[in-house]
Amino acid sequence: MLRVRAHSGRALAQGFAAFARAGASSFVSKSVLTVARPQAASRLLSTTSTIKQHPKEENQAPPTHTSPPPLLSQESNAPAPANGGLALPLDGIRILDLTRVLAGPYCTQILGDLGAEVIKVENPKGGDDTRAWGPPFAGNQHDPADRGESAYFLSVNRNKKSITVNFRTKEGQAIIHDLAKRCDILVENYVPGKLQKYGLGYEQLKELNPKLIYASITGYGQTGPYATRPGYDCIIEAEAGLMHITGESTGPPVMVGVAVTDLTTGLYAHGAIMAALLARAKTGRGQHIDCSLMDSQLATLSDIGSSFLISGQEPHRWGASHPIIVPYQAFPTRDSRIMLSGGNDGQFKSLCRILGLEHLPTDIRFRSNSDRVKHRDDLIKIMTERLQEHDNQHWLKAFEGQGVPYTAINDFAHTFAHPQVAAREMVQEVEHPKAGKLKLIGIPVKYSESKPSVRLPPPLLGQHTQEILRDVLHYDAEKVDSLATAGAI
Amino acid sequence: VNRNKKSITVNIRSPQGRDLIHDLVKKCDVLVENYVPGKLDEMGLGYEQLRALNPGLIYTSITGYGQTGPYRMKPGYDVMIEAEAGLMYITGEENGTPVKVGVAVTDLTTGLYAHGAIMAALLARHKTGRGQHIDCSLLDSQVVTLANIASSYLIAGQEARRMGTSHPSIVPYQVLPSRDSHIMIGAGNDGQFKILCSVLQLPELPNLPDFRTNKDRVRNRKALITILTERLRTKDNAYWLEQLEGRGIPFAPINNIAQTFEHPQVIARGMIQEIDHPKAGRIKLTGPAVKYSETKPSIRIPPPLLGEHTDEVLRDVLGYDDQRIRDLKDSQAV
């Protein structure tokens, strides 16, 4: 059981940390603006642009413009934005995507959502492993015998084109070289050293295209004693502290219900790639980006990790409770569970009124938050007893509009039926060539100047090989045939 | 969460404070805020008002539920939204209760989405010359990071469930107890399972029809886990970690935070950085997660004291003279 230290300064600091953790918007009275460094950013408004949408244009003089430069070269096959004609932030950017499974594809999917043309390179035999990771599968409306794509694959691969290339062959490597010259970004998630063997490492491709931004995503990073170990989300959740702090206080450590470390890494990577694009606008050069599950996992230990680094105090598992705010946890009701917060004295008073426990706020054991923390067990017992007298529905109704944070612990049916989820368009239906109508999760970030959407459904394996070879690389029919014969595509 | 920032104190409710913010906005590229929608507008600091002063401003709003929709005025809390949007439901032991993630993951995910969106808007501005309003929310970020788990529901109506530390379709791929602790082991295919069994000195196991393929192992999960657990419980974690080293199977101890920060790879990657803080002296902070070949992000400024940079910013960024700064202090605008 974590004891709150008596030292007032530390408790205050922890309290602030808890408040910061507890809410996005509640407790700030004086604001601190986060400012970008003005002198660095102002270069972007300069009249000469060095940002190149396609490296093929590097022999032309950099455009000077008083109006925005053309967004698409003639080379681009990026489909017209289906967003009312408003340009997307990454219109005209082309990405060569060698990633597979989750972290990498999640990253490139966000970039695709933002308008980039993502060319997903898959091996001709089966492609991305996740195509087969099911059940469930989405089926094939034209062929009942075909199980179709896995829900897994469909969740992280929209807004991408699929080409099949076997880069273990010389011809396949040549295709990747040709594509690298015409792409702004390459993203890969192979164990360090693997792609170098095929002539596809950063140093090798930088020769062909010095503007290339080469983003590597691995388990442990490009350097260090663990660099060549394959990376797995749940292994690193265990290895880097997250599992230790997740689970019931009296129970074992548990994994997070999604592969959060993969997703966090993908999120760090998507930002880093855009940071490199911004840097390239100033320097004219690409660079190698090194993202890893372990580093991303570490960074997202955030305030919990910091508590340890600053104080040496080991954190514990707290189940669905909070170490230093009481009550702020899940409670059992007669038929289910409910999440309640009495995070400050005002909320606690309201909460007790709703529960019909008006005497509690003046009880000497529960007057302030630190009192409530000290007598946690007593308070939770009393509240639990009362909450278990009624079903969840009763309490959800009672708490509505009362100014106390509350929620059911929603399963997915309830999550996706949530009125705000619908209002925010977080489920989008698209047409898939095999599966027919498909539901995908929508776009979380909204922009006033553009409307990102699902422009392309998740591609079939190799659906765009011909198109890319013909329209981007300008290979003629004979060359394409010979590549097929050589087993390169 | 506050290194590489300068702190100024401004009372944005006062007219002079508001004017100061207006002056700053004209010199900034990006504004980030997390007030309930409408609050800053009331103070003359909403997007429409500020874009009139600086059309290139990228105004980033982070809220619990977004700028639109029936819940937009509701204050947002990480743990509440973990519960509300499916994450808590799927985290915890199979036969246990839903638990929250050990860190405020929804807050962090939202921050990560926002940082990327801001850079996307900077890239867009490079083409259009205009800023825009970005609308990030905990709820949307939480929902989208249900990713493949949500997809099973959306595509096939398959409700999610808690798996504790087990993998729904690979066995064994979970946390197992040793004599003194727990270990995470993943034997994702038949080859790895064979290796695991040889390490555990159970060489006959992979040949039994009940456990030969992954499909078999999934079907007979309980029986297999019982056998493996019994064997693992005979020795301490340290023993098994040594035995598994370099054998080609994914494995890891369940490291607590101390062990995490002592991990040789964590140290080699510079993920702990020591800096000087004016009050605290030498403190340890987590290093930057992403490495770049052309640049070396670092901790240039320690987390600032309250208002540490008010004078500097007013003087050097806004070009206010001493008298003006004194007036602002007298009127308690700063």
Side-chain angles (χ1 to χ4, degrees), chain A residues 52 54-62 211:
Chain A
K52 291 296 192 295
H54 292 293
K56 207 171 182 324
E57 298 160 53
E58 66 193 274
N59 292 327
Q60 302 167 15
K211 296 188 184 323

Side-chain angles (χ1 to χ4, degrees), chain A residues 408-422 426-427, chain B residues 81-90 139 142-144 146 150 153-154 159:
Chain A
I409 300 175
N410 283 331
D411 60 16
F412 281 21
H414 287 88
T415 297
F416 286 103
H418 194 298
Q420 187 68 0
V421 169
M426 286 310 293
V427 178
Chain B
I81 290 169
E82 273 188 49
E84 206 165 359
L87 183 59
M88 205 183 277
Y89 185 79
I90 58 176
L139 183 73
Q142 171 59 73
V143 167
V144 75
L146 294 174
Y153 173 77
L154 289 175
E159 182 59 61

Side-chain angles (χ1 to χ4, degrees), chain A residues 121-136:
Chain A
V121 177
E122 302 186 67
N123 99 63
K125 290 194 169 61
D128 191 321
D129 279 349
T130 60
R131 288 183 183 271
W133 285 14

